[in-house]
Amino acid sequence: IIQPRDVGWIEVICGPMFSGKTEELIRRLKRAQYARQNLQIFKPKIDDRYDAESIVSHSKQALPSYPVADVGEMREQLDAHVEVIGIDEVQFFDLDVIEFCNEMAQKQCRVIVAGLDQDYRAEPFGPMPQLLAAAEYVTKLHAICVKCGNPAHRSYRLATNPQQVLVGSDERYEARCRRCFAQGY
Ligand code: ADP
Ligand code: ZN
């Protein structure tokens, strides 16, 4: 991305579990840190997989973040001088996160969000469709299908639990390509 000047924008990093969304988010945010930009990182409180206070990738890279229950809490924590906002696991927030991202981009913030574009049934996840439509820049990442080694764009749930939100990683989900996703166990 050639960084625009004096305007804000939205970047979406999407893909299935294990596709490197958090790694990519951390990479972009660290570069903003090196550029001495003022950043704030949020994640939903629901996601307590590794660390309550940080965003952490499966490869154990981390950056400190504010865990928040909802968009209202994000607004409360907001620093008036923020220049770059990062949100991990953005699919878990309500639809009001869309307005929040648009509003902050309008206020000349760079807003970088990472999240699952599809749930375990391959349905669009929460606010992701609207965020993808609203964004200036979209990156769709792939994992590696654990069955066949092809690029994987879906998260297959191993547990038989019908809730859309079931937090957990390796033992509950695996990355699968279209074909292996349809094959089931
Ligand atoms: P995401 O945020 O998309 O879930 P992370 O950034 O947390 O992804 O983790 C990505 C890392 O997960 C990869 O760099 C790799 O080390 C690891 N990984 C584990 N299983 C797979 C897989 N099936 N395909 C690709 N990467 C995998
Ligand atoms: Zn496959």
Side-chain angles (χ1 to χ4, degrees):
I1 294 169
I2 298 168
Q3 288 209 3
R5 285 167 187 271
D6 307 322
V7 290
W9 67 90
I10 299 174
E11 297 167 36
V12 176
I13 302 164
C14 70
M17 293 190 62
F18 309 106
S19 61
K21 300 184 298 298
T22 303
E23 272 172 6
E24 178 59 18
L25 179 65
I26 289 172
R27 190 186 72 85
R28 293 185 195 182
L29 291 170
K30 283 201 167 149
R31 291 172 63 90
Q33 246 175 6
Y34 287 130
R36 296 198 188 80
Q37 290 169 338
N38 225 323
L39 41 142
Q40 271 190 296
I41 309 170
F42 298 104
K43 66 171 194 175
K45 254 183 196 152
I46 182 176
D47 181 27
D48 60 355
R49 277 179 299 174
Y50 297 101
D51 190 323
E53 301 276 315
S54 294
I55 56 170
V56 186
S57 73
H58 289 111
S59 49
K60 304 286 186 284
Q61 292 204 62
L63 268 184
S65 72
Y66 298 92
V68 290
D70 52 30
V71 174
E73 257 185 52
M74 244 187 269
R75 288 182 188 280
E76 282 165 27
Q77 300 282 353
L78 210 55
D79 175 346
H81 303 292
V82 65
E83 293 166 288
V84 180
I85 296 177
I87 309 178
D88 200 11
E89 304 280 12
V90 71
Q91 78 278 353
F92 288 144
F93 288 102
D94 289 337
L95 297 185
D96 45 2
V97 77
I98 303 157
E99 197 193 318
F100 176 75
C101 292
N102 275 315
E103 200 181 300
M104 295 316 294
Q106 202 62 39
K107 289 184 184 159
Q108 303 194 10
C109 278
R110 175 186 180 191
V111 182
I112 317 172
V113 303
L116 294 162
D117 48 345
Q118 299 176 50
D119 69 9
Y120 75 97
R121 297 165 307 190
E123 297 289 341
F125 212 133
M128 292 304 284
Q130 290 96 323
L131 287 171
L132 285 161
E136 277 88 345
Y137 305 99
V138 172
T139 304
K140 185 150 174 163
L141 300 174
H142 299 86
I144 301 300
C145 176
V146 298
K147 292 283 179 193
C148 75
N150 273 310
H153 81 309
R154 290 192 175 153
S155 313
Y156 185 85
R157 182 183 286 176
L158 297 163
T160 48
N161 186 326
Q163 281 172 267
Q164 187 180 36
V165 178
L166 182 63
V167 180
S169 52
D170 317 41
E171 60 317 335
R172 288 182 176 170
Y173 296 94
E174 59 189 31
R176 291 203 187 180
C177 72
R178 178 182 296 278
R179 188 190 54 177
C180 297
F181 181 88
Q183 270 167 2
Y185 283 95

